[in-house]
mmCIF file of all heavy atoms in Angstrom:
data_model
loop_
_atom_site.group_PDB
_atom_site.id
_atom_site.type_symbol
_atom_site.label_atom_id
_atom_site.label_comp_id
_atom_site.label_asym_id
_atom_site.label_seq_id
_atom_site.Cartn_x
_atom_site.Cartn_y
_atom_site.Cartn_z
ATOM 1 N N ASN W 681 -39.866 -78.096 6.117
ATOM 2 C CA ASN W 681 -40.624 -79.276 5.691
ATOM 3 C C ASN W 681 -39.833 -80.110 4.694
ATOM 4 O O ASN W 681 -39.255 -79.566 3.745
ATOM 5 C CB ASN W 681 -41.943 -78.872 5.038
ATOM 6 C CG ASN W 681 -43.000 -78.446 6.042
ATOM 7 O OD1 ASN W 681 -43.565 -77.376 5.937
ATOM 8 N ND2 ASN W 681 -43.270 -79.287 7.023
ATOM 9 N N ALA W 682 -39.817 -81.407 4.909
ATOM 10 C CA ALA W 682 -39.390 -82.320 3.855
ATOM 11 C C ALA W 682 -40.486 -82.359 2.796
ATOM 12 O O ALA W 682 -41.675 -82.271 3.104
ATOM 13 C CB ALA W 682 -39.157 -83.711 4.417
ATOM 14 N N ASN W 683 -40.070 -82.440 1.548
ATOM 15 C CA ASN W 683 -41.024 -82.576 0.448
ATOM 16 C C ASN W 683 -41.259 -84.070 0.244
ATOM 17 O O ASN W 683 -40.696 -84.689 -0.647
ATOM 18 C CB ASN W 683 -40.458 -81.916 -0.814
ATOM 19 C CG ASN W 683 -41.476 -81.820 -1.931
ATOM 20 O OD1 ASN W 683 -42.617 -82.250 -1.793
ATOM 21 N ND2 ASN W 683 -41.058 -81.267 -3.047
ATOM 22 N N SER W 684 -42.074 -84.640 1.109
ATOM 23 C CA SER W 684 -42.256 -86.094 1.135
ATOM 24 C C SER W 684 -42.926 -86.578 -0.152
ATOM 25 O O SER W 684 -43.793 -85.882 -0.705
ATOM 26 C CB SER W 684 -43.104 -86.473 2.352
ATOM 27 O OG SER W 684 -42.480 -86.023 3.535
ATOM 28 N N PRO W 685 -42.519 -87.751 -0.653
ATOM 29 C CA PRO W 685 -41.622 -88.694 -0.013
ATOM 30 C C PRO W 685 -40.142 -88.479 -0.356
ATOM 31 O O PRO W 685 -39.771 -88.379 -1.522
ATOM 32 C CB PRO W 685 -42.093 -90.050 -0.558
ATOM 33 C CG PRO W 685 -42.660 -89.735 -1.906
ATOM 34 C CD PRO W 685 -43.234 -88.357 -1.796
ATOM 35 N N MET W 686 -39.339 -88.341 0.680
ATOM 36 C CA MET W 686 -37.882 -88.494 0.644
ATOM 37 C C MET W 686 -37.157 -87.476 -0.222
ATOM 38 O O MET W 686 -36.222 -87.814 -0.954
ATOM 39 C CB MET W 686 -37.535 -89.934 0.212
ATOM 40 C CG MET W 686 -37.969 -90.959 1.243
ATOM 41 S SD MET W 686 -37.847 -92.685 0.710
ATOM 42 C CE MET W 686 -39.278 -92.838 -0.368
ATOM 43 N N VAL W 687 -37.596 -86.214 -0.137
ATOM 44 C CA VAL W 687 -36.946 -85.125 -0.875
ATOM 45 C C VAL W 687 -36.840 -83.899 0.023
ATOM 46 O O VAL W 687 -37.796 -83.549 0.731
ATOM 47 C CB VAL W 687 -37.738 -84.752 -2.152
ATOM 48 C CG1 VAL W 687 -37.159 -83.492 -2.805
ATOM 49 C CG2 VAL W 687 -37.741 -85.904 -3.146
ATOM 50 N N PHE W 688 -35.672 -83.251 0.000
ATOM 51 C CA PHE W 688 -35.527 -81.898 0.529
ATOM 52 C C PHE W 688 -35.209 -80.990 -0.645
ATOM 53 O O PHE W 688 -34.288 -81.275 -1.429
ATOM 54 C CB PHE W 688 -34.400 -81.815 1.568
ATOM 55 C CG PHE W 688 -34.760 -82.427 2.891
ATOM 56 C CD1 PHE W 688 -34.466 -83.754 3.162
ATOM 57 C CD2 PHE W 688 -35.397 -81.671 3.861
ATOM 58 C CE1 PHE W 688 -34.798 -84.322 4.387
ATOM 59 C CE2 PHE W 688 -35.744 -82.228 5.088
ATOM 60 C CZ PHE W 688 -35.447 -83.558 5.347
ATOM 61 N N ASP W 689 -35.979 -79.889 -0.797
ATOM 62 C CA ASP W 689 -35.776 -79.023 -1.954
ATOM 63 C C ASP W 689 -34.877 -77.838 -1.619
ATOM 64 O O ASP W 689 -34.511 -77.590 -0.473
ATOM 65 C CB ASP W 689 -37.110 -78.561 -2.541
ATOM 66 C CG ASP W 689 -37.934 -77.718 -1.582
ATOM 67 O OD1 ASP W 689 -37.359 -76.942 -0.799
ATOM 68 O OD2 ASP W 689 -39.178 -77.832 -1.621
ATOM 69 N N GLU W 690 -34.536 -77.098 -2.670
ATOM 70 C CA GLU W 690 -33.572 -75.993 -2.561
ATOM 71 C C GLU W 690 -34.033 -74.916 -1.581
ATOM 72 O O GLU W 690 -33.239 -74.376 -0.800
ATOM 73 C CB GLU W 690 -33.367 -75.387 -3.948
ATOM 74 C CG GLU W 690 -32.399 -74.231 -3.988
ATOM 75 C CD GLU W 690 -32.309 -73.633 -5.390
ATOM 76 O OE1 GLU W 690 -33.229 -73.886 -6.200
ATOM 77 O OE2 GLU W 690 -31.333 -72.918 -5.655
ATOM 78 N N THR W 691 -35.324 -74.588 -1.589
ATOM 79 C CA THR W 691 -35.828 -73.526 -0.711
ATOM 80 C C THR W 691 -35.681 -73.898 0.751
ATOM 81 O O THR W 691 -35.170 -73.124 1.568
ATOM 82 C CB THR W 691 -37.304 -73.232 -1.033
ATOM 83 O OG1 THR W 691 -37.406 -72.772 -2.383
ATOM 84 C CG2 THR W 691 -37.850 -72.162 -0.097
ATOM 85 N N MET W 692 -36.128 -75.102 1.103
ATOM 86 C CA MET W 692 -36.052 -75.522 2.490
ATOM 87 C C MET W 692 -34.602 -75.690 2.949
ATOM 88 O O MET W 692 -34.236 -75.305 4.066
ATOM 89 C CB MET W 692 -36.814 -76.835 2.681
ATOM 90 C CG MET W 692 -38.323 -76.717 2.551
ATOM 91 S SD MET W 692 -39.117 -75.844 3.949
ATOM 92 C CE MET W 692 -39.329 -74.207 3.241
#
Side-chain angles (χ1 to χ4, degrees):
N681 283 127
N683 189 359
S684 302
M686 294 171 284
V687 172
F688 286 92
D689 63 35
E690 180 183 18
T691 298
M692 291 289 99

